Amino acid sequence: MRVADLELPFAVTEMGPSDASPVIVLPGGPCRGPEYLGDLAGLDRTRRLVVLHPRGTPLSGGLSRGWWQDADDVAALADALGRDAVDLIAHSAGTRLALAAATRHSHLVRSLTLVTPPASWLTGTPHDGASIALDRTDPAVAAALRALEQEDPATDDAFRQAFQRQAPATYAHWTEVERAHARVGAVSRAAALAWFDDIPDEAVELIRAAPIPPTLVIGGRLDYLTGVGPVADYAAVLGARLAMIDDCGHYPWIEQPEDFLRVTDDWLSQVASPPSEWPDRTLSSGSSSTPLASMISPPCPPNAWAARARG
């Protein structure tokens, strides 16, 4: 059965082997057309990727009801897949949707892979993007940084233009590969604003208090949008493993595809096995085991936020 053939209130794209365990994929943006995710560096070779097009994206149409309420769409898709629980991969703004789904529908979520998540909203950690070593001598990067700091577009056209102007600062490097990728996936100001509608005041507290499933957070050491310190604290708040990828900005499957694929594929293999079989500090890929101790941190204690809050 193809999920895309079902009558769901949102669009779905499937790729990968139909007999493999499904992995639900949630794009960022917010509400950016998920074509920019591609095949996640070839993850579709071994995984059945089921990409949800959130409300507000071009194929689903309409507007988001807010990322908290839209968790019901993730639950509906998980139910349609007919599994007891599914793995979720989410990028950027989509990580809020993933956390909402794991909090509100915990029985349906087996694991989370949260890629370059905005983090300060959950942790209170100040953004440290100014310390990230981007090539500020590149005129395109310098202009992008100014745009990120100063622009507040008031129309959809202005929003789309600003998105393109800001793009050079969202990658570790600005080559033709990154330029081409930045043009993929439509964005909308109206959709992005709707994403933040009707979020409960207690959403952060509910997420912190929830029994979050096994979680891997993937960050880029040169991700100006998220910063580095906030992402590390975010992983600690969630009791998650943390993989920081070197020489990488906000789109690791484009910028460092081999590292991204190895880390993600190994993690999904681990969560399919009993926790007693998980290695402490190494994720392996295929028949070769590659030590990633410099990239992978072990799980943080679940009460890490309380310790930090007390100073």
Side-chain angles (χ1 to χ4, degrees):
M1 177 193 67
R2 283 171 40 85
V3 175
D5 294 334
L6 299 178
E7 292 187 6
L8 294 168
F10 46 80
V12 176
T13 300
E14 294 183 75
M15 61 187 82
S18 59
D19 58 346
S21 296
V23 179
I24 294 178
V25 181
L26 307 175
C31 300
R32 183 176 178 181
E35 298 82 8
Y36 82 98
L37 296 170
D39 59 12
L40 290 178
L43 190 62
D44 67 328
R45 291 196 291 269
T46 57
R47 310 286 171 181
R48 179 187 173 194
L49 303 183
V50 183
V51 184
L52 189 156
H53 296 239
R55 298 170 193 250
T57 55
L59 289 186
S60 289
L63 290 174
S64 169
R65 300 163 298 175
W67 55 266
W68 187 258
Q69 183 66 29
D70 282 355
D72 290 344
D73 289 344
V74 181
L77 180 54
D79 281 337
L81 290 168
R83 301 285 177 142
D84 291 337
V86 296
D87 302 309
L88 301 184
I89 298 176
H91 175 241
S92 192
T95 60
R96 296 187 189 233
L97 179 57
L99 287 174
T103 300
R104 298 184 53 226
H105 303 282
S106 58
H107 64 291
L108 293 175
V109 182
R110 180 171 72 171
S111 76
L112 298 174
T113 304
L114 305 177
V115 183
T116 58
S120 295
W121 68 277
L122 189 69
T123 67
T125 307
H127 183 252
D128 59 0
S131 65
I132 291 175
L134 296 178
D135 182 8
R136 288 171 167 79
T137 64
D138 183 326
V141 174
L145 289 170
R146 288 193 299 272
L148 282 165
E149 294 167 2
Q150 300 171 8
E151 293 188 359
D152 185 16
T155 67
D156 261 1
D157 283 346
F159 183 83
R160 287 189 288 269
Q161 293 166 15
F163 186 87
Q164 292 302 317
R165 279 194 296 273
Q166 295 164 5
T170 65
Y171 301 86
H173 302 281
W174 187 238
T175 71
E176 188 51 46
V177 171
E178 289 81 9
R179 292 186 184 95
H181 178 254
R183 295 190 290 267
V184 179
V187 296
S188 159
R189 178 180 181 273
L193 290 175
W195 183 255
F196 297 100
D197 283 347
D198 298 324
I199 308 304
D201 292 339
E202 67 276 17
V204 168
E205 287 72 22
L206 290 171
I207 291 169
R208 288 179 189 160
I212 299 297
T215 299
L216 172 67
V217 173
I218 300 176
R221 291 195 189 276
L222 297 179
D223 187 348
Y224 179 85
L225 291 182
T226 66
V228 174
V231 173
D233 286 354
Y234 177 96
V237 167
L238 297 175
R241 293 194 174 203
L242 173 64
M244 294 300 294
I245 299 181
D246 290 334
D247 200 27
C248 184
H250 200 56
Y251 303 97
W253 66 95
I254 296 296
E255 302 178 70
Q256 298 296 339
E258 292 182 4
D259 283 343
F260 174 82
L261 180 60
R262 182 168 67 251
V263 169
T264 305
D265 197 46
D266 287 354
W267 170 251
L268 292 172
S269 295
Q270 283 188 20
V271 295
S273 62
S276 60
E277 298 179 10
W278 296 6
D280 287 336
R281 298 186 64 85
T282 301
L283 295 180
S284 61
S285 180
S287 59
S288 62
S289 181
T290 305
L292 297 173
S294 63
M295 188 183 297
I296 304 295
S297 298
C300 301
N303 62 348
W305 169 257
R308 289 173 185 275
R310 291 192 295 268

